[in-house]
């Protein structure tokens, strides 16, 4: 399936890269490429990763990679990456704040 990144997910990757670049610009580039590649691999097996607990009805799944979580939805025409966040962040407030 085709994988599409939301504007928020693109901004997340930029922010992650900027944060890592403070210590290592080369690692920032390679790590954001790794995150992007892991997100694209979701298209091969989109149901391999679980729905977010307590929010199953929102149809948001998450794939962990190192200390990060890739949040996505499965749509008829592909995979939609919603956000890519560090696992220590309060992702519930960012993803489900309207509840």
């Amino acid at each position: 399936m085709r994988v599409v990144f939301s504007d928020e997910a693109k901004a997340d990757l930029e922010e992650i890269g900027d944060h890592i670049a403070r210590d290592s610009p080369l690692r920032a580039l390679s790590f954001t490429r790794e995150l992007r590649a892991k997100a694209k691999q979701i298209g091969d097996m989109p149901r391999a990763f679980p729905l977010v607990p307590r929010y199953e009805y929102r149809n948001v799944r998450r794939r962990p990679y190192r200390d990060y979580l890739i949040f996505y939805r499965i749509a008829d025409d592909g995979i939609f990456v919603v956000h890519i966040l560090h696992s220590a962040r309060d992702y519930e407030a960012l993803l489900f704040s309207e509840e």
Side-chain angles (χ1 to χ4, degrees), residues 8-93:
E8 292 84 357
K10 291 175 187 175
D12 293 338
L13 284 170
E14 187 78 24
E15 184 179 315
I16 292 164
D18 289 347
H19 179 74
I20 295 170
R22 292 181 200 142
D23 294 322
S24 176
L26 287 176
R27 182 61 183 139
L29 182 59
S30 67
F31 188 71
T32 55
R33 285 181 179 162
E34 288 172 27
L35 276 172
R36 186 176 289 276
K38 294 299 178 188
K40 287 184 177 183
Q41 287 175 358
I42 293 168
D44 297 333
M45 294 180 56
R47 297 189 192 285
F49 300 98
L51 292 165
V52 176
R54 297 185 335 181
Y55 298 97
E56 290 89 351
Y57 65 96
R58 300 293 297 271
N59 293 318
V60 175
R61 295 176 179 268
R62 67 179 176 199
R63 177 193 181 151
Y65 179 68
R66 300 204 176 214
D67 291 335
Y68 290 84
L69 298 170
I70 302 167
F71 295 93
Y72 66 97
R73 285 193 173 97
I74 302 171
D76 292 336
D77 57 344
I79 305 302
F80 187 69
V81 178
V82 179
H83 268 291
I84 302 172
L85 304 170
H86 193 279
S87 60
R89 291 189 66 182
D90 181 7
Y91 66 81
E92 290 182 9

